[in-house]
Each structure stands twice: as C-alpha cells, then as structure tokens.
Amino acid sequence: MINRDQLIRFINETIGSEVLELAQYRDELANGVQILGGEDVDRVTLGVSLNEDFLNEAVNVGSNFCIFHHGFDVRTYKSRIPTYAQKRLKLIVQKNLTIMGFHFALDVHPEIGNNAVIIRELGAQRRDQFFEEVGYTAEFATAQDVQSLSRRCSELFEHDIFAVFSGPQQVKTIAVVSGAGKPYPEHIAEMEEKGVELFISGETTESVPNKMKESGINYFACGHYATEVFGVQELGKRIKSHFKDSLEVEFLDIPNPI
C-alpha cells in the first residue's frame, strides 16, 4: 500500500514537466489528475479509455486508482450531463476512485509514448516530430519489405491491418501517429517533404486511401484502440518498477475494434 499523492507525484515526474506543460497548452483533454479518490492505494489499473465497463472491472479487481490515455471526457452540450457520463461519475464517486488521464502526453512522450514505443517495437530509430508534433518519423537501419511490415504490425497490434500498398516495396522511412491519425492535406505534404514511404496510424476515412495511393505512400490503418495500448502499459511498467511489491499494477484490456 502507498499514499495516493506519492503515487501522483511519481507519475507526473515520470511524464515530465516539459511534456505536461506542452499538453496543457496543446490539448483540451485530460493530462493529469481529474478526480481524487481514496488516500491509500493497493492496486493501480490502467487502460486506454475510461468507460463503464472499465470502471466496473477496476472495482472488481480491487483498484481505487485508474490511469487512462482517454480520461473522463466531461465536455457537455449546453451544460447537460449525458446519461453515460452520469453512470461513470456515479461509479467514480461511489467507489472513491482516483482518475488520471494522459491524452496528448501519452502520444508525444519520446520514451513511453504510444508512437515512440511502436517505433521501438518495429525496430526503427525515432527521428523528427511529425503531424503537429503528435507523432514521429523514424528510420530502419536497412530497408524493410512493406508486406512483411504489414504482418509484423498485425502481430504487434493484434488487429487486422487496412493496408494500401502504394509506395516502395522496400521502405526505410516511416511515420507513426497512434489513435485517429487521419491525415489531412498538410500532413500528406509533410510526408512528401520528409520522404515518408510508409504511414502507420489508427483510423482512416473514405477519402484517405486514394489520397495516399495517388501520393505514392504506403499506408497502414491499424486501429485506434490497438495503437494506443502502449503508452499506459509503459507507464504501468515504470510504476511497478519503482514501487515494486508495495503496489499491484494491472492493465485492463477492454477491447474496442475501432
């Protein structure tokens, strides 16, 4: 068991003041504590998105401290709190849960962020910030077969890959933007400027595949949820390594096919 505020301090130090300050400037969603719960913490649960299923599972496993990539989205329409938000808030208050969310921070972090971890797991070296500083470009030491990379991505993300094979068969320079990551014209222009041969992201829209095809850039859409499990998992590893047996740390997988 550890003190809640001690844990919060460690988490904020792990993310780092520079990333948190940038997140406060760039992101309207949560990057830090949203709700304070009980002062004593035995078990931390981590997940991609705050929802009722996750909160119920966290309570079932005995956690009162939850960390998310997508935290509690409290945005409302004309100050009306919708039913889904009421259900979530009721659970949080009744069970005295601490809620932390790190949206921008766990995309952009250069060591434990989603994009940095994906690049590392694929065996490339992170290079420049990309996509309005949310993602990164990266390079392989030697050119990789793009078909083989699609299979590796399918295994890494445990998700079907929507692939547009419209660029070089052998690629060295890639760009990665976890989550939605739907490229607009300015992002495709940035890819062209930076020599990106393969773009890896989470979601797509109807018009994007043809734009990428006509731009001559390979494109993998690998799932919003599937590409955003990495940051919170890496944060959980740091927490466990620091507090060791004083604290249980668990990633709760609440699958989402999107």
Side-chain angles (χ1 to χ4, degrees):
M1 180 181 295
I2 64 170
N3 176 265
R4 175 200 67 199
D5 295 338
Q6 178 187 5
L7 176 56
I8 290 170
R9 283 194 297 272
F10 174 78
I11 293 168
N12 287 335
E13 289 169 0
T14 299
I15 300 294
S17 59
E18 184 176 346
V19 171
L20 289 175
E21 288 170 8
L22 182 61
Q24 294 303 318
Y25 172 71
R26 290 286 305 276
D27 195 0
E28 65 176 329
L29 299 180
N31 287 273
V33 176
Q34 293 190 274
I35 299 173
L36 289 173
E39 293 186 1
D40 296 322
V41 181
D42 289 315
R43 181 184 293 268
V44 173
T45 43
L46 306 101
V48 175
S49 300
L50 187 154
N51 53 54
E52 188 180 21
D53 287 344
F54 182 99
L55 295 173
N56 279 322
E57 183 63 20
V59 171
N60 287 341
V61 300
S63 171
N64 69 342
F65 197 109
C66 305
I67 306 171
F68 302 94
H69 179 51
H70 304 128
F72 192 4
D73 189 346
V74 296
R75 292 173 293 184
T76 64
Y77 174 70
K78 295 187 181 297
S79 299
R80 177 188 178 276
I81 300 177
T83 301
Y84 67 83
Q86 293 180 47
K87 289 181 176 179
R88 297 170 183 183
L89 185 58
K90 183 178 181 180
L91 263 171
I92 291 167
V93 173
Q94 284 185 338
K95 302 302 181 180
N96 204 20
L97 306 180
T98 293
I99 302 297
M100 297 188 80
F102 293 98
H103 183 235
F104 183 84
L106 281 180
D107 278 327
V108 306
H109 198 285
E111 295 178 7
I112 66 170
N114 294 310
N115 299 305
V117 176
I118 290 167
I119 288 166
R120 187 178 73 221
E121 290 295 317
L122 289 176
Q125 292 294 317
R126 179 172 50 84
R127 298 301 186 205
D128 299 329
Q129 288 183 302
F130 170 74
F131 207 95
E132 300 161 38
E133 300 182 343
V134 174
Y136 291 98
T137 62
E139 285 191 8
F140 293 102
T142 58
Q144 304 289 307
D145 178 77
V146 71
Q147 299 278 349
S148 297
L149 280 174
S150 72
R151 293 190 289 272
R152 286 168 59 188
C153 283
S154 182
E155 293 173 0
L156 175 63
F157 300 122
E158 299 180 1
H159 194 277
D160 291 336
I161 306 302
F162 176 81
V164 178
F165 297 107
S166 51
Q169 180 67 34
Q170 300 291 317
V171 301
K172 285 193 71 174
T173 302
I174 65 173
V176 180
V177 179
S178 58
K182 296 182 284 286
Y184 292 95
E186 61 268 31
H187 305 126
I188 296 175
E190 185 180 9
M191 293 181 215
E192 293 174 340
E193 291 169 2
K194 293 182 175 177
V196 172
E197 297 162 316
L198 167 63
F199 178 50
I200 299 171
S201 70
E203 294 185 40
T204 191
T205 56
E206 189 277 337
S207 66
V208 170
N210 280 321
K211 291 176 181 176
M212 298 298 289
K213 177 182 177 182
E214 292 158 25
S215 298
I217 301 170
N218 294 298
Y219 175 47
F220 297 167
C222 306
H224 191 138
Y225 178 96
T227 57
E228 294 196 319
V229 301
F230 302 95
V232 288
Q233 289 179 337
E234 287 295 310
L235 179 57
K237 292 175 185 177
R238 299 287 181 96
I239 294 169
K240 184 61 178 178
S241 177
H242 181 79
F243 291 102
K244 297 182 170 57
D245 294 338
S246 299
L247 187 66
E248 294 298 320
V249 179
E250 183 177 0
F251 174 77
L252 299 182
D253 186 20
I254 309 295
N256 185 332
I258 303 303

